[in-house]
Amino acid sequence: MSDDGVVVPEPEPTSKPREGLHTAKEEESRYTPDVDLVSSTLRTEATANLPQSTRTSAAWVALLVGMLALIVVLVFILENLATVKIGFFGEHLKLPLAVALLLAAILGGLVVFLLGSIRILQLRQAVRKHHGMHSAS
């Protein structure tokens, strides 16, 4: 209020930009789309017309992948029929090269499976032990 009784409005704080003027960040955000909103909208529109996946369709895809893998293995075997002599723990066998390599791969897979199973059992035991300590307190 001034001396003669006239109400004078307080000036606006200077930190706020004046009408029509924007900070660089505000200017950028005006023209930058919301990436999450755009991607979720596109994902929703792209999948709206697709049929739902079922167990049967998943089984068909797995069957197709399995059949393709068997074809690759069959071609591998047919191209590697040369007989080789294999020695293992004093035993000597004569096998086609492909069969020997497949047996080696299967044995390697079994070793990985065995070691992985042991590690999973160790982790389960540790979780049970840790869970038991928290439930007792």
Side-chain angles (χ1 to χ4, degrees):
M1 204 184 239
S2 66
D3 292 337
D4 53 354
V6 177
V7 176
V8 178
E10 290 290 323
E12 292 184 21
T14 56
S15 63
K16 182 179 176 186
R18 290 177 285 172
E19 190 65 35
L21 298 177
H22 302 283
T23 64
K25 185 143 182 93
E26 288 174 334
E27 196 67 29
E28 180 183 333
S29 68
R30 287 178 56 198
Y31 298 106
T32 305
D34 183 358
V35 176
D36 293 333
L37 177 63
V38 171
S39 65
S40 66
T41 303
L42 290 175
R43 194 173 25 244
T44 302
E45 290 174 1
T47 59
N49 296 329
L50 294 177
Q52 292 287 8
S53 179
T54 62
R55 289 183 191 166
T56 305
S57 65
W60 275 106
V61 170
L63 181 66
L64 176 66
V65 170
M67 295 294 284
L68 292 174
L70 284 176
I71 290 170
V72 168
V73 169
L74 180 62
V75 169
F76 174 76
I77 289 172
L78 292 175
E79 289 183 356
N80 293 286
L81 289 176
T83 302
V84 292
K85 186 176 178 182
I86 305 291
F88 189 67
F89 288 122
E91 290 292 321
H92 296 281
L93 302 168
K94 285 187 176 183
L95 295 172
L97 176 62
V99 173
L101 290 172
L102 286 174
L103 286 174
I106 290 170
L107 285 174
L110 288 174
V111 168
V112 168
F113 177 78
L114 179 65
L115 293 175
S117 297
I118 291 170
R119 183 63 182 148
I120 288 171
L121 291 174
Q122 287 176 337
L123 291 173
R124 283 183 181 173
Q125 188 177 25
V127 166
R128 277 192 219 114
K129 184 178 179 181
H130 182 73
H131 190 301
M133 288 174 30
H134 282 295
S135 62
S137 46

